[in-house]
Amino acid sequence: MISQSLKLHQQYKSCGGKLGYYSHQSSACNSEIKFAVYQPPQAEYQPVPILYFLSGLTCTEENFMIKSGAQQFAAKYGLMLVVPDTSPRHTGIPGEDDNWDLGSGAGFYIDATAAPWNAHYRMYSYVVDELPKLIAENFPVMPEKQGIFGHSMGGHGALICALKNSDRYLSVSAFAPICAPMHSPWGQKIFTHYLGENREEWRAWDGTELVMKAPYNGSILIDCGTTDSYLTDGQLLPEVFAEACAKAGQALNLRMQEGYDHSYYFVASFMEDHIQHHAAVLCG
């Protein structure tokens, strides 16, 4: 039974399961937040593990479900997929919709501490604390078995959520993540606005800094395309993350996929590999 705090907007049958689009009033973000849930066929008769996916810049809760082809593999392995929107929206913050890489669609999965963003842009707390409680209360899941993955900005989000909470996320992977945001143009722009000018405070939201401080308790899978324009212009920096992992003794499977770019064509091409990576831990 779905609680009255959740609003179901649309529901579809997909790969033998159910895909629903929901919204609710978030206390973490002080605004309405939307999210999508795919319930595999197995969820009809038993609780199932949960796999969270964090999408990239400009995306919503819909992009992954429409473009990735993940439902067929979630159905195959018996995993529930949960995909939140990428930011709060319509908060009234001046300039919120002016830039594609700041504000709406660009929550960056951190908790803003600088005004005016700190009143609403707290996507880390939403993803790590509020959303899992909501899912556990309303869907047939095994809350103790959850994994997380993401793409681009969402890959950054998946890495920091897992590295900061290795006891909660039993598995983690990423497609073309922003691996060292303190050293990338995107990260520097976002961190300055959301966190302020003190770079020491940025370290708590940088995957490369976090892995050197406290490695993740498990293996990390990362895929990047060799023709990804964001790789060549220094936005992603997987080599910096790999070097930090080597120094920290972190198990990392970094795969550079020849000829692939940053798009969902790339993501869909290796989706089953990532679902398998998570299922091996969550369903083992």
Side-chain angles (χ1 to χ4, degrees):
M1 178 72 68
I2 299 297
S3 70
Q4 293 183 350
S5 63
L6 287 186
K7 181 178 180 181
L8 175 62
H9 295 272
Q10 294 174 305
Q11 185 166 278
Y12 306 95
K13 185 165 185 177
S14 176
C15 300
K18 294 185 295 185
L19 170 59
Y21 292 97
Y22 302 85
S23 67
H24 74 114
Q25 188 65 26
S26 165
S27 58
C29 295
N30 192 26
S31 65
E32 182 185 65
I33 297 288
K34 296 180 178 180
F35 63 91
V37 176
Y38 174 70
Q39 302 182 59
Q42 295 87 338
E44 289 286 337
Y45 54 85
Q46 66 184 30
V48 296
I50 320 155
L51 184 53
Y52 292 90
F53 183 86
L54 306 182
S55 300
L57 286 164
T58 75
C59 290
T60 69
E61 72 284 357
E62 291 186 298
N63 297 76
F64 175 79
M65 293 299 192
I66 293 171
K67 297 179 178 181
S68 71
Q71 293 96 310
Q72 61 185 311
F73 305 120
K76 179 178 178 180
Y77 295 101
L79 296 172
M80 186 168 296
L81 297 173
V82 179
V83 184
D85 197 357
T86 49
S87 76
R89 298 179 189 269
H90 313 297
T91 66
I93 294 175
E96 180 181 37
D97 300 324
D98 291 351
N99 295 280
W100 69 277
D101 58 354
L102 176 70
S104 296
F108 235 73
Y109 305 104
I110 68 175
D111 282 351
T113 55
W117 305 100
N118 58 349
H120 298 282
Y121 278 67
R122 296 178 52 81
M123 286 300 292
Y124 172 79
S125 288
Y126 178 75
V127 168
V128 171
D129 295 320
E130 186 175 6
L131 184 58
K133 292 178 183 177
L134 199 66
I135 296 302
E137 291 169 357
N138 290 279
F139 299 92
V141 296
M142 304 169 69
E144 74 280 6
K145 290 192 173 184
Q146 58 181 24
I148 192 165
F149 67 148
H151 173 223
S152 193
M153 175 185 71
H156 146 78
L159 291 176
I160 64 169
C161 287
L163 286 165
K164 290 163 81 74
N165 303 276
S166 60
D167 57 330
R168 300 192 195 185
Y169 299 104
L170 305 184
S171 57
V172 60
S173 71
F175 296 94
I178 302 170
C179 292
M182 288 183 66
H183 304 286
S184 75
W186 275 341
Q188 291 166 1
K189 177 178 180 178
I190 291 291
F191 285 1
T192 299
H193 283 84
Y194 290 170
L195 302 174
E197 299 285 350
N198 186 349
R199 288 180 172 247
E200 285 302 309
E201 296 181 5
W202 296 7
R203 296 183 187 277
W205 306 104
D206 184 300
T208 295
E209 296 291 326
L210 289 170
V211 80
M212 288 191 292
K213 182 178 180 181
Y216 175 71
N217 185 28
S219 180
I220 299 173
L221 170 63
I222 292 178
D223 276 317
C224 288
T226 60
T227 62
D228 188 328
S229 61
Y230 299 123
L231 176 70
T232 56
D233 69 5
Q235 296 282 21
L236 305 183
L237 303 174
E239 70 281 3
V240 176
F241 185 72
E243 182 178 351
C245 286
K247 290 180 179 178
Q250 171 65 57
L252 172 67
N253 184 8
L254 173 60
R255 309 190 307 183
M256 303 305 298
Q257 303 292 359
E258 186 65 33
Y260 286 90
D261 60 12
H262 198 73
S263 70
Y264 264 94
Y265 298 113
F266 154 65
V267 173
S269 297
F270 302 100
M271 181 53 60
E272 185 169 16
D273 288 357
H274 283 249
I275 299 288
Q276 284 181 326
H277 170 80
H278 292 277
V281 178
L282 300 177
C283 305

